[in-house]
Amino acid sequence: MTQPRPAGQHTVRRHNSALVLAAVAESPGISRAGVAARTGLTKATVSSLVDRLIGASLVHDAGPERRPGPGRRGTSLSLCPSGPHGLGVEIGVDYVATCLVDLTGRTRHERVRPAENRSRPVPEVLAEVAAELTAALGEAGALGVAVGGIGVAVPGLVEASTGLLRRAPNLDWDDVDVPAELRDRAALPDVEILVGNEANFAALAELWAGGHTGPRDFVHVSGEIGIGAGIVIGGELFDGVHGFGGELGHFPVTPDGPRCTCGARGCLERLAGQDVILERAGAADLGDLLDRLVAGEDRAAGAVREAGRWLGTALSAVVNLLDVPAVVLGGTYAHLHPWLADPLRAELRARVLGGPWSPVEVLRSDLGTEAAVRGAAASAVRTILADPDAFMASLS
Amino acid sequence: MTQPRPAGQHTVRRHNSALVLAAVAESPGISRAGVAARTGLTKATVSSLVDRLIGASLVHDAGPERRPGPGRRGTSLSLCPSGPHGLGVEIGVDYVATCLVDLTGRTRHERVRPAENRSRPVPEVLAEVAAELTAALGEAGALGVAVGGIGVAVPGLVEASTGLLRRAPNLDWDDVDVPAELRDRAALPDVEILVGNEANFAALAELWAGGHTGPRDFVHVSGEIGIGAGIVIGGELFDGVHGFGGELGHFPVTPDGPRCTCGARGCLERLAGQDVILERAGAADLGDLLDRLVAGEDRAAGAVREAGRWLGTALSAVVNLLDVPAVVLGGTYAHLHPWLADPLRAELRARVLGGPWSPVEVLRSDLGTEAAVRGAAASAVRTILADPDAFMASLS
DNA sequence: TGGAATAGTTCGGTCACTGAACTTATCCAT
DNA sequence: ATGGATAAGTTCAGTGACCGAACTATTCCA
């Protein structure tokens, strides 16, 4: 049970600072008066809070706004482009990616280095990841910006309470304390290090992509080596009690299906995973598969349709359970969307109980494979945006 | 998106009032000084807040506490037994139940009236429910207590945003605004009326039963006419975006199973529901089945084992998705627990990925069929406990 | 019987928000 | 050009809620 905390005036300021910052983030170019109207705070309070945020270089005052009509012009406020940046790292199975984003979520730097991380000694891989981190920190120095937080995406189960990477099947890692190991190997600034599942970070990247217009409740499914899912509800990641939530790859979709590496039978991964689709379609790789689909090859289309049905079966259960109104296809599935969406939708229509009152949308992600790193980096800055007072306190 | 609200001093008081009340609720007989130590607030603040809570008859001052050692004795604080009560109503398929609970959750009055509500005219049923409500209100009057909130449990999908009962399959009701209809037919006090799914309320009752010792994260599964599930995470009900969450009965557990009333195939309800178990076991009713199980009849044990395996398959997916550490069996399943738990556990062990680090517990609910009404009534008082300032404001 | 320990109250101080008055800046009609 | 209307932003006294320290009240025990 989380320790309940007493509230005081500082709590109020904390809350309102975040409120003001969120208003600025959601409508860049807004004036202090606009923020006051949006948040319900008085102009006096907003002025005071904005001044503090500007002092911490979280908000930027871009001079008078342009607006028709009478009256004095307000000053345009926006998130400070030179404010603290978020640094993301992804330890993939065959690559290490780093990425630097500013407060608005814009990518300032990105780098993907191929690396065969699978079943290599853990310290060796971590040393290389640390080197990438150091390089990215140098990049931040060259841009003249501070790093306010670090996010690390890993392909495995991360325990939320401890931050421990419990198990990464495709790396064959067990119980690695990633933040501690990285701190040992690189001179990292004294900022928070978030570790999380790669699929969850990808879902968050999807949430934050394209401003504030997208859905705030969805399941993001990405088919890469395994099948990863990230659940976003109310604009927040839902990852369960330990942080192990969102596992969809081993969803028991048919009891007498093929045996899976996890020991069980009929896991979704064995019926709708990328490898299986390619095999059924007789395609060499994803590019080949897409060519065959475009050419209208029956076998390819059939393979994708079948995967769509299995995926739909699993997702209908997810929707019935969580009552999420949208499914976003990412990774490999994003490419297959045109052929995958219809059978998926059909299955959802047939099985979702709440369907008649709120049909489930099947959307396609525009983000590529960089989704996870970007999500990791963006998570770091979102931590600051969500609680600017904590960040400001850490400055002194 | 919920409108963000500015915080002020009143917000602080609100938060701290709830904090203090929660401390009193969790350790009855605690003194003001104890509350201060527990919450981190100063004695001065606690005194002021407690006085207000006593004024609203939410807290009761039971005189000096008994304790060995030197020093002045504190005064025992506890939730006021004569404070506002919660009134619960359950519109079942073949009964209407009402129940009155005090702030501590203790049942003060309970009544179950058999009624054939299935496919009878909706207004007729509602009129009878309203009559039951009026009777329960009279009971509250006789006890000399006020009703501070009403909870209504229904066997169907309730839309959280509107409070509308969208669809109750076993009643064959569609789009009924239950609170409005009840207000039209009975003289209800001006208090909030919560409408919710019966399985969800049962899960909440389970959460609140037995003090504060039970798990705060679990899936509550009850097998009655259908299969209902309620998900509790972090001590709160998780019911999804629209409130349709927690539907487990139509979990697609095998693609080529028997056809279900919902139109799909292989729904859990058709493989592990009460009717199916009885039929497979060749038992006339639940009592008969239990007799056969106790007698060690193979056919009965086999039927329950099979249901356990199907249930385990579905629940393993739930656990992988939501990462909940416990499954609580309620309703019919509670009675079958001794025979059901082992196959269920085996299935979970085989399929839950996070299992090795946090094995899933399979528990048994001690509550009977009254779980849902009690949960509904308790929800009403919990609303008050969760935000006592709102309740106090409504008094004036 | 007085000292130590603990519970609860009183009261001045601090901090963050509010509301109203005020200053600054812009448009527009005269 | 000029004054009135309009709007943005600032200043400042006022309010409310918590904190801390001093104080009172009660109990045990040597």
Side-chain angles (χ1 to χ4, degrees), chain A residues 368-388:
Chain A
T369 44
E370 306 84 8
V373 222
R374 292 197 190 170
S379 288
V381 296
R382 286 279 159 170
T383 305
I384 298 173
L385 293 182
D387 189 359

Side-chain angles (χ1 to χ4, degrees), chain A residues 243-292:
Chain A
F244 300 163
E247 276 304 322
L248 200 64
H250 301 276
F251 193 98
V253 88
T254 175
D256 50 352
R259 189 163 290 278
C260 174
T261 48
C262 78
R265 278 184 172 283
C267 292
L268 179 63
E269 206 160 286
R270 282 278 158 283
L271 290 156
Q274 182 179 336
D275 293 352
V276 185
I277 299 179
L278 291 179
E279 191 191 319
R280 281 211 215 94
D285 55 30
L286 185 58
D288 182 25
L289 175 62
L290 289 171
D291 288 344
R292 287 166 191 259

Side-chain angles (χ1 to χ4, degrees), chain B residues 78-89:
Chain B
S78 50
L79 292 177
C80 185
S82 59
H85 279 49
L87 174 52
V89 204

Side-chain angles (χ1 to χ4, degrees), chain A residues 120-127 172-174 176 185:
Chain A
R120 257 174 67 216
V122 179
E124 210 175 298
V125 174
L126 285 168
D172 198 25
W173 287 13
D174 288 284
V176 180
R185 290 176 172 77

